[in-house]
Amino acid sequence: MNKKTPSKAAGERDVIIVGGGIAGAALAYGLAGKGCKATVLDAPTRTNMASRTNVGLIWCQSKFLHLPEYARWGFMSSRLFPELVRELEEISGLHVPVNFTGGLIPVLDEEDFQKRADYIVKLREALGEYRGAVIERAELEKKLPKIAFGPEVCGAAWCEDDGVIDPLALLRAYRAALPRLGAEYVQTLVLDVAPHKDGYRVSTRDGDYFCRRLVLAAGLANRRFARFAAPDLPVYPDKGQVLLVERLPMVMPIPVLGVTQTFGGTVIIGFKHERVGHDAVVAPASVATEGRWAMRVWPELAKKRLIRAWSGLRVMPEDKMAIYSRLPGHPQVSLINTHSAVTMAAAHSRLLPDFILGGDLPETARGMTLKRFGFAC
């Protein structure tokens, strides 16, 4: 990884991306592939912020019936992933564990089974295509024959476009690939962003950077960095809590939403969404709810050792749909906020660079600007 310490006279860059998580790294990778030498400024941290608080699901199924274009955007990204991973591994020299094996949502009662079936029928009608269905328990057991499901499990929602990837391996591969493509990755704390002459100044702990085009991809910190143009950015912290169960033999080649086996053999349990501000303290009651549900799905977990529990803050736009937008009055500044940075990584790398460089958004993403919140951009 190419880490540099900026000087006080850092000079002007073509494009600066504030935020080096999966979203920012994916955009920088796509821009570099187009010959644009982007600079990524990323805060030094012992952890990887949102990238350490997700399972790494590439997940499109059973959601966004009310926003079919956004549903299409997720499926587009999923189908771009296999080629992207092959390319990333070749350029970075790193292996990225991934399974493009589909995904399952366990169903624990007949009423939920029928609701999910009806939802999928409507989603298929809205999209014109949907490679999945609700399956009975017998078919679920054929897909995961090494798991003894609990007696309440009557089936599952299934979609072949889903999968799972190691999120930290994906981030490492992006970062390793960037300098090989001519991009620059700098670990430094960004303090402020402001217009400067005919461009922008990014003030960091180690000096100032200047650019003509700027991308804000700093997750929840975008609320602070965008204040010069959007004082009340419609993004909030969405708390998730995760339990980690001891390493087991590999029995889950297909990810199960809410209780997924990692590539290292441990099992991650977690599905809750809580709006509690910036409180990232583990709440035992919430963790217990998730654990009890997981044992109903997979009773064998009751005999296993819980290694740890932790929580994290997802980046959540108010309507839970991604934001891809220019800032009001600042056509050279692009804002990227999404709670699905892993799922959307391939779309970010392949389909957003032209927008960053001044072009239009892809047709499927044109409803995702700040205009839907009343901003004039």
Side-chain angles (χ1 to χ4, degrees), residues 80-293:
L80 290 168
F81 248 107
E83 180 187 1
L84 173 68
V85 170
R86 286 193 294 269
E87 183 182 283
L88 262 178
E89 290 185 326
E90 181 179 350
I91 294 172
S92 70
L94 300 175
H95 174 54
V96 181
V98 62
N99 280 340
F100 300 113
T101 50
L104 294 157
I105 303 175
V107 179
L108 273 65
D109 61 64
E110 294 296 337
E111 182 180 357
D112 189 28
F113 188 96
Q114 190 57 52
K115 284 182 180 178
R116 290 189 178 277
D118 293 343
Y119 191 94
I120 288 172
V121 168
K122 293 176 182 176
L123 193 54
R124 182 180 290 111
E125 291 173 353
L127 300 179
E129 177 189 22
Y130 185 91
R131 299 192 294 195
V134 175
I135 60 174
E136 301 282 353
R137 179 176 176 123
E139 189 173 350
L140 170 62
E141 291 174 337
K142 288 179 182 178
K143 290 186 179 297
L144 293 175
K146 295 181 180 180
I147 294 179
F149 290 99
E152 296 174 87
V153 178
C154 57
W158 153 257
C159 181
E160 65 181 77
D161 282 303
D162 294 335
V164 62
I165 192 166
D166 183 326
L168 295 183
L170 174 63
L171 184 59
R172 284 193 293 268
Y174 268 132
R175 290 181 177 175
L178 291 180
R180 300 182 183 188
L181 294 174
E184 184 181 29
Y185 173 81
V186 181
Q187 282 199 338
T188 185
L189 181 64
V190 174
L191 304 174
D192 192 27
V193 175
H196 178 80
K197 297 181 179 179
D198 59 349
Y200 297 88
R201 179 182 63 233
V202 182
S203 301
T204 79
R205 184 175 56 192
D206 302 296
D208 290 344
Y209 279 82
F210 300 91
C211 62
R212 294 294 302 277
R213 292 191 184 276
L214 176 67
V215 181
L216 298 181
L220 295 170
N222 276 356
R223 288 181 58 88
R224 177 162 55 91
F225 296 141
R227 280 184 301 193
F228 66 88
D232 191 18
L233 198 66
V235 174
Y236 69 92
D238 178 66
K239 182 178 178 180
Q241 300 192 95
V242 179
L243 295 83
L244 191 68
V245 176
E246 67 177 300
R247 187 171 285 106
L248 308 178
M250 294 303 297
V251 296
M252 190 182 284
I254 300 172
V256 175
L257 187 65
V259 51
T260 298
Q261 190 168 29
T262 71
F263 292 95
T266 55
V267 177
I268 289 185
I269 299 166
F271 56 83
K272 292 183 73 65
H273 294 263
E274 297 177 291
R275 189 163 181 170
V276 291
H278 287 268
D279 175 16
V281 175
V282 173
S286 295
V287 168
T289 298
E290 294 182 319
R292 284 193 294 268
W293 175 86

